[in-house]
Amino acid sequence: MSKSYRLVAFGCRLGRMAYAAAQASIGDSEFDRDTTITERPGEPGVYDAELSAGWTIITAVNGGYLLAMVGRALAAALPHPDPFTVSAHYLTSSEPGPAVIRTEAVRVGRTLSTGQASLYQYDESGAEVERIRVVASYGDLAALPDDVRTTALPPAMPPYEACLGPEAGPAPIPGSNAIVDRLRLRLDPATAGWALGAPSGKGEMRAWFELADGRDADPLSLLLAVDALPPTCFNLGMMGWSPTVELTAHVRRRPAPGPLRISITTRNLAGGFLEEDAEVWDSEDRLVAQSRQLARAPRS
Amino acid sequence: MSKSYRLVAFGCRLGRMAYAAAQASIGDSEFDRDTTITERPGEPGVYDAELSAGWTIITAVNGGYLLAMVGRALAAALPHPDPFTVSAHYLTSSEPGPAVIRTEAVRVGRTLSTGQASLYQYDESGAEVERIRVVASYGDLAALPDDVRTTALPPAMPPYEACLGPEAGPAPIPGSNAIVDRLRLRLDPATAGWALGAPSGKGEMRAWFELADGRDADPLSLLLAVDALPPTCFNLGMMGWSPTVELTAHVRRRPAPGPLRISITTRNLAGGFLEEDAEVWDSEDRLVAQSRQLARAPRS
């Protein structure tokens, strides 16, 4: 596959947009409907799900969407509600269609519980094929003290209106680009040169981020957000497919309503792999999530 | 527990040192002997091990030592030799004594294989108690291309001779401090103020790192190295116990012989948790490992 799904995502965003007219809410939104899980009768901790074609790029399902769905299953299976640290290893590419998530409560503690989950799809014979394996520790974000002793600052980027939306860029690329309609993503112009054929040479990507139907962020949608931007390697002049090997996300705080700012940086692209570090900031200037992934560098 | 095991480690290093007279080698060293695993006859993928009292602090076994031991079991169980990305969730505190590591080959691919492992110890009745659960993807570092496109620079720190070894600091703290004798750690004076009662206020820790018997680093010992420094929260004036919830390490390159430089930074201490990002650089100025952990902030 020579074109990155994330390039497609951005490119298509430039061609058409479909903002929902009505403001969706947490629990009643595209994201919530498309990450619905249903526990199997008589099989506690086993959840059927349907991977929506609405979150695909070309032929694959977005990895952050998968992580959010598995995160929802673990929230159902564990006594604590919120993902604190979620480690995912991506095994095979997911496709739209039925899936099953099998969870295990590994350890239940007072303030944290640890669980494991795998998402499977089915081959032609109906056998389960594992797509993603996750180990995660859950807690209660609302129970945390409000102390903040941090040196981190929000990403230096222009205001929302000065960032680049779908009107400013190249034409769509063939293939499924359904996820484009699910997001409102506005790129910092300093990190959008790749879209116009002039990559910055720096391993950075910054954007304002919202769900297209206006649903506010919550801890589960943060698991989507950390893997929703175009990859930093585009700004290093490498425009191909950059599959995630492993991604670990830390959710540090319940996000305030309003758009998020996401900053992604790569310090080390070497030996055919790169790391991508994401920070997600909310409208109250609080660092609500951090993630790091190891990805394969594009072959191009 | 009011004193951090890592504080103890440093403090004790100041009181006494036991550098081995002879240069050890990879495969014939304290680290190798103390991470030995033995496959159970008739139980493929199940390895007996002995957690050495030599890597303890106060009463607990160091988390990086545990990770290296589990990493060795996965290297034995998977067809690829080297850890590329290793995600560990720490469940309960480990103690010196017998342990068993149960591995599973999750997916075997051409360039990467993914495996899972748990390390258990035994309660009074002999039942297994899980200490740490790991999912990891392994590859072959020697097979990677030599391309480097990175903006990362080695940590700015004084040369080895100008960093602080055991001769310059407070007295030992009671409890087991066996791990002190296993390491040669020399702290950047700019990040060692906490040891003299004057923490810098910055979430940073930097040190030169070697194994005490002179064994050179390899990918497995890097799993130890990423969790071997005093925690950054000491420099934030929080001197208590800071247990790891989750740690993910990426090994990016086989390290060259010679001492390592390790830099740890914390950007966000909030809500009772902090992240610690580690970078490990080798003597050829190559970034050989990165890690991030989520830890609980000390209660003090």
Side-chain angles (χ1 to χ4, degrees), chain B residues 12-295:
Chain B
C12 294
R13 216 165 282 127
L14 314 175
R16 61 188 170 81
M17 289 293 282
Y19 286 178
Q23 173 86 8
S25 59
I26 294 173
D28 182 12
S29 73
E30 287 183 326
F31 173 79
D32 295 292
R33 284 187 289 278
D34 288 347
T35 55
T36 297
I37 54 168
T38 307
E39 194 165 24
R40 278 191 188 169
E43 295 189 58
V46 180
Y47 303 89
D48 285 303
E50 182 80 17
L51 302 190
S52 165
W55 300 83
T56 51
I57 294 299
I58 306 181
T59 62
V61 177
N62 172 264
Y65 165 73
L66 285 180
L67 194 63
M69 181 178 272
V70 173
R72 191 181 292 284
L74 281 166
L78 295 171
H80 290 93
D82 299 315
F84 274 35
T85 170
V86 180
S87 305
H89 287 249
Y90 290 81
L91 305 170
T92 56
S93 291
S94 301
E95 298 163 10
V100 60
I101 303 170
R102 299 181 175 277
T103 67
E104 170 196 0
V106 175
R107 177 180 177 270
V108 173
R110 191 175 59 82
T111 57
L112 289 178
S113 295
T114 301
Q116 175 165 336
S118 290
L119 184 147
Y120 303 86
Q121 292 192 287
Y122 306 96
D123 68 12
E124 299 76 7
S125 72
E128 292 180 359
V129 180
E130 189 169 356
R131 299 302 193 204
I132 172 178
R133 182 169 293 209
V134 173
V135 182
S137 293
Y138 274 56
D140 183 357
L141 289 170
L144 297 184
D146 198 38
D147 64 301
V148 177
R149 301 176 60 158
T150 177
T151 59
L153 295 173
M157 56 190 286
Y160 188 91
E161 310 74 41
C163 286
L164 298 177
E167 70 285 359
I173 290 169
S176 167
N177 37 64
I179 195 175
V180 173
D181 295 334
R182 308 280 93 72
L183 307 177
R184 278 180 218 165
L185 202 66
R186 294 185 79 91
L187 286 182
D188 181 344
T191 68
W194 59 271
L196 304 169
S200 68
K202 296 178 184 170
E204 300 177 349
M205 198 68 73
R206 290 183 292 275
W208 293 88
F209 175 95
E210 287 179 294
L211 293 169
D213 62 8
R215 175 199 191 272
D216 282 319
D218 71 350
L220 287 181
S221 76
L222 293 178
L223 300 182
L224 164 71
V226 296
D227 196 29
L229 265 57
T232 54
C233 57
F234 286 7
N235 278 325
L236 298 171
M238 309 177 83
M239 300 294 287
W241 177 260
S242 179
T244 303
V245 177
E246 175 268 329
L247 186 152
T248 296
H250 299 171
V251 176
R252 304 296 300 275
R253 187 181 169 86
R254 187 170 289 277
L260 303 169
R261 283 156 295 170
I262 304 177
S263 167
I264 303 185
T265 54
T266 294
R267 289 168 51 78
N268 189 45
L269 191 162
F273 290 83
L274 69 158
E275 95 285 358
E276 284 193 349
D277 286 2
E279 288 191 355
V280 184
W281 293 78
D282 72 5
S283 61
E284 295 179 349
D285 278 357
R286 302 293 281 264
L287 181 51
V288 293
Q290 293 168 289
S291 76
R292 175 175 287 169
Q293 68 172 274
L294 184 71

Side-chain angles (χ1 to χ4, degrees), chain A residues 222 250-255 260 280-282 286-289:
Chain A
L222 293 178
H250 299 171
V251 177
R252 303 296 299 274
R253 189 182 169 86
R254 187 169 288 276
L260 303 169
V280 185
W281 292 78
D282 73 4
R286 302 295 279 267
L287 181 50
V288 293

